[in-house]
Amino acid sequence: MRQGDKFWSVAMKIAVCVKQVPDTWAEKRLRADDSTLDREAADGVMNELDEYAVEEALKLVEAHGGEVVVVSMGPDRAGETVRKALSMGADSGIHLVDDSLHGSDALATSYALATVLAGRDFDLIIFGSESTDARMSVVPAMVAERLDLAQLTFAQKVDVTGDTVTIERLADYGFDTVTASLPAVISVVEKINEPRYPSFKGIMAAKKKPVETLSVADAGLDASKIGASAAWSGVADFAARPPKAAGVVVTDDGDGGLKIADFLTNQKFI
Amino acid sequence: MGEVLVLVDHADGVVKKVTTELLTLARVMGEPAAVWVGPGYNDAASATLAEFGAAKVYVAEDPALNDYPVAPTAELLASIVASASPVAVLVASSADGKEAAGRLAVKIDSGVITDAVDIDASMTATQSVFGGSTIVHSRVTSGTPIFTVRTNAVAPVPAPGAATRVDVSVSLTASATKARITGRTVAAKGGRPELAEAAVVVSGGRGVGSADGFDVIEKLADSLGGAVGASRAATDAGWYPHQFQVGQTGKTVSPQLYIANGISGAIQHRAGMQTSKTIVVVNKDAEAPIFELADFGVVGDLFTVVPQLTEQVESRKGA
Ligand SMILES: Cc1cc2nc3c(=O)[nH]c(=O)nc-3n(C[C@H](O)[C@H](O)[C@H](O)COP(=O)(O)OP(=O)(O)OC[C@H]3O[C@@H](n4cnc5c(N)ncnc54)[C@H](O)[C@@H]3O)c2cc1C
Ligand SMILES: Nc1ncnc2c1ncn2[C@@H]1O[C@H](COP(=O)(O)O)[C@@H](O)[C@H]1O
């Protein structure tokens, strides 16, 4: 259980879920054999938005005391992403790795993460608001649903006071202020902070930090609910979009606006 | 024909355009039944839903629904799925929509496909992934298929429906009310169309240089009846409010026409506008990657090109 270090500030136990994704700039493609993302084709990096999640967890622990546990599900090399979070300052890691997880969809991923997170007494579980490869923005909501925790997502600001967490949730019209009692699930948007770079000292220290490696069996997962064969949805087929015809680019000679207007008239926009 | 549930997206009592797109799509798969969550259901809303083919409208009007994000909507949808056994559920691909769909998927143990741009009668969804470079067809293989659909993906086509009102009683559980909305901060909003739904979007980036600089962007947008967007560089600098950010962590837009001014075309920006039908670029650097997406581009200073364009639009409209 949570321990109070001072009566006005309670040490927090925070989990951060980080995903390894193909480098943002790399060309992404699907594998011909099983229509899953070809993760070998590009360097793996930490999902950008998850860096903000790690940063927010570190800041909360700096303010309130406590520990940050980074959690990732992914192939062997996702271990690099766990290490990166440790070198930023997280205290320990959990890496769920098993060949049978390959091809898991969002429901399976959320099931696996929720199972690993359950029963570990986290006060907060922090996610990025979207992974740059899947781009679904559903895993945090699904984990909240599975663990029956308050869902405070798309946060541009997070405040914890005592047992209460309050966020600003981005909305079309501005933002909503949303509040709940701990424990809770949070996801963050990139506006929230500026992620730190791992220092040399941090990188050295990370090598000695504990990482728990879990297989599907270790985690107590039901093998029939994970991997491609169990997926609730699947890709029937895919194709590269025919390349767009190259556009026309002209240099402004004092009539650039006119030329665009001609183009727009041609295309019936005017 | 089976029922297809369509979650109504509404603000201030007005049905958003995306809902008419969803109803149009739903008719391909079955009989559309709209689901209205929240207070304020009214005659005009009912008329819009009827015009686009809703046979029924499930209405849950408890004012308390406004006090909690996402979770109550998922709970209501799950209870309607249980009683009406629909053949599919359609939700708009907004942040709220995706999250409600995700929670619903867990509740009813059904697969969910996000960001569909089309769905056919066999319930195969088309998705445009990796910044539009790949077209994927996918299917839900277990449970009642749940789809979130991108705005502007299909053209709304009217087809009358009865829009018979069916009241749904609401009793929110403890699980649905754990996170409470205690305040709503509405940023100033002009008379322009909503960014995610607009047919024309005119965006400005770091090249606009200042908050005042956005004047030229707004004037062009207004001449075309469009919405104004911004890159993160511009919203971070405080030149334009954050809710107008286009990109990975802002809005995803797919208008008929997107005009990018003083925007370099970083991958995170492209992620939010790449599927726009026609793209026009104004940038003074001929090497800017945004030109790769341009149907028509001008290498030049936006402060001379854009006002000239606005003037042309105004005069040609009048002609
Ligand atoms: C996690 C994460 C999420 C992000 N999410 C988003 C997002 O949602 N949306 C987004 O936009 N970005 C996002 N970014 C930021 C993105 O990487 C870029 O930094 C940003 O898009 C750059 O904005 P810009 O093109 O306006 O600025 P710059 O890259 O600085 O480009 C400015 C351009 O303006 C041109 N220019 C300058 N003056 C003029 C002039 N007078 N006339 C014509 N052209 C001129 C220049 O040639 C240049 O090409 C994200 C980044 C991260 C790390
Ligand atoms: N395999 C994974 N391991 C750990 N966290 C994940 C994984 N997949 C998704 N997440 C988390 O869920 C967030 C949203 O992902 P998504 O719903 O796929 O867009 C990410 O930013 C991560 O924080």
Side-chain angles (χ1 to χ4, degrees), chain A residues 148 151 169 173 232 236 241, chain B residues 96 99 103 132 137 141 178 187:
Chain A
D148 196 13
Q151 175 197 321
R169 173 183 173 86
Y173 42 78
W232 282 257
R241 179 194 289 275
Chain B
D96 284 14
E99 292 195 327
R103 295 187 71 118
H137 291 121
T141 46
K178 287 193 162 153

Side-chain angles (χ1 to χ4, degrees), chain A residues 48 132 145 148 151 153 169 173 175 177 179 190-191 232 234 236-237 239 241 248 250 252 254 257-258 262 265, chain B residues 96 99 103 107 109 132-133 135 137 139 141 175 178 180 182-183 185 187 242 249 268 295 297 299 308 316:
Chain A
E48 270 172 316
T132 51
E145 172 74 38
D148 196 13
Q151 175 197 321
T153 42
R169 173 183 173 86
Y173 42 78
F175 64 84
T177 306
T179 187
E190 99 293 348
K191 255 184 79 145
W232 282 257
D237 60 74
R241 179 194 289 275
V248 177
V250 300
D252 181 34
L258 209 91
D262 287 344
T265 306
Chain B
D96 284 14
E99 292 195 327
R103 295 187 71 118
K107 281 182 191 292
D109 196 28
S133 68
I135 300 293
H137 291 121
R139 294 181 55 82
T141 46
S175 298
K178 287 193 162 153
R180 184 184 189 91
T182 55
T185 304
H242 183 264
T249 43
Q268 296 91 352
D295 294 288
V299 181
Q308 186 179 60
R316 292 182 195 201

Side-chain angles (χ1 to χ4, degrees), chain A residues 48 52 190, chain B residues 205-207 231-233 245-250 262-266 268-269 282-285 288 300-303:
Chain A
E48 270 172 316
Y52 297 79
E190 99 293 348
Chain B
R206 200 192 307 275
S231 74
R232 181 176 167 200
Q245 181 174 316
V246 171
Q248 189 194 321
T249 43
I263 293 176
S264 65
Q268 296 91 352
H269 187 79
V282 179
N283 192 305
K284 66 181 182 192
D285 174 10
D301 190 324
L302 71 92
F303 289 103

Side-chain angles (χ1 to χ4, degrees), chain A residues 24-25 28-30 37 48-49 52 107 110 129-130 132-133 135-138 141-142 144-146 148-154 156 169-181 187 190-191 194 231-241 244-252 254-265 267 269-270, chain B residues 16 69-70 95-96 98-99 102-103 105-107 109-115 128 130 132-142 175 178-187 194 224 232 242-243 245 248-249 251-252 256-257 259 265-268 271 276-280 282 291 293-300 304-305 308-309 312-313 316-317:
Chain A
T24 332
W25 277 104
K28 293 187 256 299
R29 55 168 196 252
L30 297 175
L37 182 61
E48 270 172 316
L49 280 157
Y52 297 79
L107 277 162
S110 67
S129 51
E130 178 178 281
T132 51
D133 54 351
R135 299 207 65 198
M136 290 186 73
S137 287
V138 293
M142 285 178 168
E145 172 74 38
R146 288 187 188 279
D148 196 13
L149 294 176
Q151 175 197 321
L152 299 99
T153 42
F154 292 95
Q156 61 172 1
R169 173 183 173 86
L170 266 193
D172 278 345
Y173 42 78
F175 64 84
D176 287 339
T177 306
V178 184
T179 187
S181 297
S187 81
E190 99 293 348
K191 255 184 79 145
E194 203 47 64
W232 282 257
S233 56
V235 171
D237 60 74
F238 66 90
R241 179 194 289 275
K244 205 171 157 168
V248 177
V249 177
V250 300
T251 301
D252 181 34
D255 60 353
L258 209 91
K259 285 186 171 145
I260 299 176
D262 287 344
F263 172 79
L264 295 181
T265 306
Q267 303 282 315
F269 285 111
I270 310 179
Chain B
K16 292 198 188 176
V70 184
D96 284 14
K98 284 179 166 191
E99 292 195 327
R103 295 187 71 118
V106 171
K107 281 182 191 292
D109 196 28
S110 292
V112 56
I113 289 174
T114 53
D115 288 320
S128 170
F130 307 149
S133 68
T134 306
I135 300 293
V136 175
H137 291 121
S138 26
R139 294 181 55 82
V140 166
T141 46
S142 180
S175 298
K178 287 193 162 153
R180 184 184 189 91
I181 299 174
T182 55
R184 191 154 277 167
T185 304
V186 179
E194 196 176 308
L224 291 162
R232 181 176 167 200
H242 183 264
Q243 72 265 28
Q245 181 174 316
Q248 189 194 321
T249 43
K251 297 272 153 44
T252 299
Q256 297 300 322
L257 174 63
I259 308 183
I267 195 119
Q268 296 91 352
S276 304
K277 314 284 180 299
T278 300
I279 297 173
V280 170
V282 179
F291 279 115
L293 302 179
D295 294 288
F296 194 85
V298 170
V299 181
T304 54
V305 176
Q308 186 179 60
L309 172 56
Q312 286 292 320
V313 175
R316 292 182 195 201
K317 265 195 322 199

